Amino acid sequence: MYRITPGPAYALHGSASTQRLEAAAAAPLPLHTLMRRAGLALAKLARALAPHARTVWIACGPGNNGGDGLEAAMHLHQHGLAVVVTWLGEPLHCPKDAHHSWMRAQAAGVCFTSQPPAALGPQDLCIDALLGVGLSANAQRRWPSNHPLLATLAQVRSCAAPVLAVDVPSGLLADSGQFAPGLAPAPGTVGTSPRHTLSLLTLKPGLFTGAGRDAAGTVWFDDLDCSAPETPDAWLNPHPVTSIRPHASHKGSYGDVAVIGGEGLGQRGMGMGGAALLAARAALHSGAGRVLLCLCDETGPGIDIVQPELMLRHFAALHLEQLTVVAGCGGGEAIRAMLPQVLADAARLVLDADALNAIACDAQLQQALQARQHRPHQHTALTPHPLEAARLLGASVEQVQAQRLEAALQLAQRFGCVVVLKGSGSVMAAPGQIPRINPTGNARLASAGTGDVLAGMVGAALASGIDTYTAACNAVFTHGEAADQWPHDLPLTANALACRLLPLA
Ligand SMILES: NC(=O)C1=CN([C@@H]2O[C@H](COP(=O)(O)OP(=O)(O)OC[C@H]3O[C@@H](n4cnc5c(N)ncnc54)[C@H](OP(=O)(O)O)[C@@H]3O)[C@@H](O)[C@H]2O)[C@@H](O)CC1
Ligand SMILES: Nc1ncnc2c1ncn2[C@@H]1O[C@H](COP(=O)(O)OP(=O)(O)O)[C@@H](O)[C@H]1O
Ligand SMILES: [K+]
């Protein structure tokens, strides 16, 4: 068993592949072996997390997730802890494994109650074994609002003791990182005690994206002594391989990035030059050899005094076919006129923000984007946030967020390019590739302009010559890592993020 931290490329399996793996792993083993291993692992982690617990409350649901809780209850009781179990299963209707563990817990003398023990404190522990990978997305239809499971789930979530979730936090869908309908916590009802999740047999994608990161807290993994030969549904995006710059290199070795964006204040009364500056500065600080800045504003400045390395260019002076172009950042409506030429000619292209919005409502631009995949020397990455992705897909934000992996893949396939679907646990996808979920980053990035910084970083990585998917994945990891390592006492602003980043290449 070990704690999951950003770095390695961990394989992620959704509920269907986990259930297939479980069946294959269980087949050659004596009955109940996997649940016994799960219960032991859980008890071991529980003791390590709460060595001074006076009371351990274990909330057990009707299925095998509850069975894992019952099995752990027996072990913890045998270790002399005061264990209290609330079991919502029915002996005549529960799965065989759970029934077996219920009998073992009873025989061991575990205490069963219908209510949580009073006065659970921060040194105690709550184990959430209500629902695991068996949860289906149509929960609302089957659980009436007065169902005891809903009340117990609310008690678990508001518990003052640390909460250790078995396999997944109950109510969270293992595949998507969204709560099943009717099972999302009401605002303000989740306690502030630490959260842990012990993922069993496989790591589930939903723990790392969408609502999953908050719900899961610290993720631990135990493979139950079984290997997982199935192709993963996704990978946890690994730390980029660090490359050393050869002495015999020069600025041309690291590529030219041109940032196009920044509608002028005069055009519609909304000056957005800052977004383009942020992307350009980020590209420069991420190791691009040369960075050109093309503002969609004839009256704009001719120099960035803070960052004089940036070279200002008119659009007509850009040799798009030789450049890595980052288009869209603050481009407003002005970017639209430049897009046909950019899509036709740019050698490597990162499309962000207003460029994506323009493409979303223009069939000709969509065709021009799709055509790029058939020109082998052209490479394209899109970096939408969920609303931009929704516009491109003709869907709602809720639909995108309900299936982040599928939404990113769908966009990648539709436009034949690499896609970064941003937000907590950014998803990277490309045609023919297994998607990745990024493990770095935090809510300090929820501040205007950090997406422009990311676009510039993807541009710099792409300009360095690595393949588009790797470039996007590396940039997303590094962008999030910078936020994770940001000193707590310093404000994280997009400009500071752009200028303090270590080179990617
Ligand atoms: N995979 C592994 O590696 C191993 C798995 N193990 C553990 O088993 C867990 C999976 O157990 P699981 O399949 O029994 O389902 P679980 O998560 O307990 O919850 C489903 C329960 O709720 C019910 N239910 C479901 N949807 C519902 C709905 N919409 N509305 C209402 N009810 C609904 C459903 O009832 P049913 O659909 O059968 O009527 C069922 O009773 C897994 O997460 C892990 O902890 C380990 O022991 C060994 C290794
Ligand atoms: N809560 C969060 N956790 C992790 N990353 C986040 C969070 N909020 C925002 N981010 C990241 O910050 C960036 C914001 O990008 P975007 O929404 O395009 O902002 P902007 O348009 O203001 O630059 C993305 O890389 C996104 O993944
Ligand atoms: K659970």
Side-chain angles (χ1 to χ4, degrees):
M1 184 196 319
Y2 48 87
R3 187 159 75 94
I4 302 301
T5 52
Y10 291 113
L12 308 176
H13 292 88
S15 46
S17 56
T18 297
Q19 282 155 359
R20 280 195 301 273
L21 282 164
E22 186 197 355
L29 296 171
L31 287 178
H32 314 303
T33 302
L34 289 184
M35 189 165 283
R36 288 186 184 210
R37 289 180 187 169
L40 261 178
L42 190 55
K44 194 169 149 193
L45 182 58
R47 290 174 62 211
L49 292 177
H52 306 298
R54 289 170 317 184
T55 309
V56 179
W57 176 43
I58 311 185
C60 298
N64 284 328
N65 195 249
D68 291 346
L70 291 163
E71 194 69 22
M74 185 192 72
H75 291 295
L76 293 169
H77 173 77
Q78 286 168 346
H79 271 101
L81 282 137
V83 176
V84 178
V85 170
T86 302
W87 186 48
L88 302 175
E90 294 170 35
L92 293 178
H93 297 109
C94 69
K96 270 191 199 137
D97 276 336
H99 189 270
H100 183 73
S101 294
W102 173 67
M103 302 240 287
R104 276 156 63 83
Q106 282 205 316
V110 168
C111 165
F112 283 77
T113 67
S114 60
Q115 285 299 316
L120 276 179
Q123 76 281 25
D124 297 322
L125 186 69
C126 167
I127 295 182
D128 163 16
L130 288 171
L131 297 165
V133 295
L135 177 69
S136 63
N138 60 351
Q140 203 168 28
R141 185 172 55 75
R142 295 176 57 186
W143 274 312
S145 60
N146 61 351
H147 195 286
L149 195 135
L150 297 181
T152 311
L153 185 56
Q155 287 164 330
V156 164
R157 286 172 173 163
S158 62
C159 189
V163 179
L164 168 56
V166 183
D167 217 13
V168 287
S170 295
L172 190 82
L173 293 164
D175 295 352
S176 64
Q178 300 302 305
F179 288 103
L183 295 185
T189 60
V190 177
T192 54
S193 59
R195 309 278 134 162
H196 296 266
T197 297
L198 174 58
S199 200
L200 297 165
L201 189 70
T202 61
L203 281 168
K204 320 297 182 295
L207 301 175
F208 301 99
T209 196
R213 295 188 71 193
D214 286 317
T218 305
V219 178
W220 304 78
F221 175 56
D222 194 297
D223 67 1
L224 305 181
D225 292 331
C226 304
S227 58
E230 264 212 23
T231 307
D233 296 316
W235 293 103
L236 209 56
N237 188 32
H239 194 291
V241 177
T242 35
S243 56
I244 296 166
R245 290 189 165 197
H247 289 288
S249 63
H250 54 87
K251 59 180 181 279
S253 316
Y254 302 103
D256 295 347
V257 174
V259 174
I260 307 175
E263 187 177 280
L265 185 60
Q267 280 166 281
R268 289 182 302 147
M270 293 192 279
M272 296 185 287
L277 279 175
L278 287 168
R281 288 178 185 180
L284 185 74
H285 288 269
S286 300
R290 283 178 291 236
V291 182
L292 316 177
L293 176 58
C294 170
L295 294 171
C296 311
D297 178 10
E298 291 300 316
T299 61
I303 184 172
D304 177 358
I305 297 168
V306 179
Q307 200 73 76
E309 300 89 340
L310 302 181
M311 293 172 269
L312 275 287
R313 291 284 189 278
H314 283 300
F315 186 64
L318 294 175
H319 300 289
L320 295 171
E321 60 289 345
Q322 295 163 16
L323 290 168
T324 298
V325 174
V326 178
C329 312
E333 288 184 358
I335 194 77
R336 184 184 295 255
M338 298 164 174
L339 280 175
Q341 204 178 329
V342 168
L343 289 166
D345 295 340
R348 291 159 297 277
L349 179 58
V350 183
L351 292 165
D352 188 39
D354 295 320
L356 297 175
N357 294 334
I359 290 167
C361 54
D362 186 324
Q364 276 185 337
L365 291 179
Q366 288 175 22
Q367 278 168 13
L369 172 57
Q370 281 159 341
R372 289 178 59 80
Q373 66 190 299
H374 306 299
R375 298 193 282 265
H377 57 286
Q378 293 189 344
H379 309 276
T380 316
L382 316 183
T383 55
H385 60 47
L387 176 59
E388 289 154 359
R391 288 176 182 138
L392 284 166
L393 287 169
S396 67
V397 175
E398 290 72 26
Q399 285 168 325
V400 166
Q401 291 295 74
Q403 295 196 307
R404 283 170 61 76
L405 285 161
E406 289 79 359
L409 260 176
Q410 213 180 326
L411 270 178
Q413 279 157 359
R414 184 174 298 181
F415 294 111
C417 56
V418 168
V419 169
V420 176
L421 174 58
K422 296 183 289 193
S424 180
S426 291
V427 176
M428 284 71 72
Q433 299 270 3
I434 293 175
R436 297 192 196 177
I437 298 180
N438 189 56
T440 60
N442 61 70
R444 293 182 82 189
L445 286 170
S447 142
T450 56
D452 304 311
V453 173
L454 177 69
M457 292 177 68
V458 177
L462 202 48
S464 76
I466 56 178
D467 75 272
T468 315
Y469 193 44
T470 308
C473 290
N474 287 0
V476 172
F477 189 102
T478 307
H479 180 257
E481 187 184 41
D484 290 344
Q485 293 174 352
W486 204 262
H488 289 287
D489 53 344
L490 285 184
L492 197 170
T493 62
N495 189 46
L497 186 69
C499 298
R500 290 184 49 143
L501 291 170
L502 298 173
L504 278 174

